[in-house]
Amino acid sequence: MLEERVTDERWQAIIHNDSSYDNQFFYAVKTTKIFCRPSCKSKPPKRENVRVFQNANQALREEFRPCKRCKPTGERLPDREWVAQITQYIDSHYNEKLTLEHLADMCHGSPFHLQRTFKRLMDMTPVEYIQKKRIERARELLAHSNNQIADVAQLVGMPNTPYFITLFKKMTGQTPSEYRQLYVKKQTT
């Protein structure tokens, strides 16, 4: 097995961003599938989610991606790959509170670079992508469930119901109630 133990000494190196441990080991985070140098300035992961490797190639073989921030392989992660990683995270976590800072931390980059790169490659900002994903899911829930509008808003990560209704109408041209009524009418005719 290529993985090594997360000793107390290594854990201290990780949480204190100790550059003297760089190239002695690399750590990967199971939840993000990203690996870093001990000196990486990204938000410290939970210890139980950390795996340790002797070198970057071992982490790559285990299908971890290099961190965009600390570049453990010495190479930059291609922007398209990075944005794909971010959209995949959003697609799986759209119903949680997502901020630009949180996404940048999860994907090991800066909020400014994330915003600019995402917009350039996706023709929309990360926030617009999150809203689009939430409204798509809301449409499914409105069409295929009897959940109250407030419950649908909550399920898609928008606890402010009036804001949800306003955004839904802005993006679809209909209120959630109107959308549901038209969908039900189409199904019965």
Side-chain angles (χ1 to χ4, degrees), residues 4-177:
E4 295 187 17
R5 252 176 24 87
V6 182
T7 63
D8 288 337
E9 180 183 0
R10 287 177 173 171
W11 179 244
Q12 290 303 311
I14 292 167
I15 63 172
H16 295 296
N17 313 111
D18 191 336
S19 61
S20 68
Y21 285 85
D22 283 0
N23 297 321
Q24 290 184 33
F25 74 92
F26 294 82
Y27 75 93
V29 183
K30 296 174 199 173
T31 53
T32 61
K33 297 296 286 172
I34 295 171
F35 74 98
C36 300
R37 300 171 191 272
S39 64
C40 188
K41 301 287 187 212
S42 294
K43 181 179 165 190
K46 292 182 180 174
R47 187 171 180 165
E48 64 266 19
N49 292 331
V50 172
R51 292 180 62 185
V52 174
F53 297 97
Q54 285 182 349
N55 60 55
N57 286 333
Q58 290 175 339
L60 289 168
R61 278 195 299 274
E62 293 289 318
E63 298 185 7
F64 287 95
R65 294 180 299 270
C67 171
K68 188 99 169 161
R69 186 173 284 163
C70 72
K71 303 174 186 75
T73 60
E75 300 171 7
R76 270 186 69 220
L77 180 66
D79 286 344
R80 288 199 185 286
E81 220 176 287
W82 190 50
V83 169
Q85 174 185 326
I86 295 161
T87 57
Q88 184 179 28
Y89 184 83
I90 293 169
D91 291 349
S92 301
H93 298 88
Y94 66 88
N95 58 343
E96 299 171 13
K97 182 178 180 185
L98 297 176
T99 64
L100 197 58
E101 290 75 21
H102 175 74
L103 290 173
D105 257 354
M106 289 302 297
C107 298
H108 297 210
S110 75
F112 176 75
H113 183 65
L114 168 59
Q115 175 84 0
R116 192 180 63 227
T117 305
F118 198 97
K119 173 90 172 157
R120 181 172 46 84
L121 293 174
M122 299 292 290
D123 290 326
M124 67 178 79
T125 67
V127 169
E128 290 168 336
Y129 184 83
I130 293 165
Q131 290 173 340
K132 179 177 171 265
K133 187 52 91 181
R134 287 174 171 167
I135 296 304
E136 284 172 4
R137 181 66 180 131
R139 290 170 81 154
E140 291 172 23
L141 289 168
L142 289 165
H144 302 291
S145 78
N146 292 323
N147 291 335
Q148 298 293 317
I149 304 300
D151 294 336
V152 170
Q154 196 79 27
L155 288 168
V156 300
M158 299 181 74
N160 183 330
T161 305
Y163 176 71
F164 166 73
I165 293 168
T166 301
L167 182 64
F168 192 94
K169 184 167 185 169
K170 178 182 172 190
M171 294 181 76
T172 67
Q174 303 162 320
T175 66
S177 297

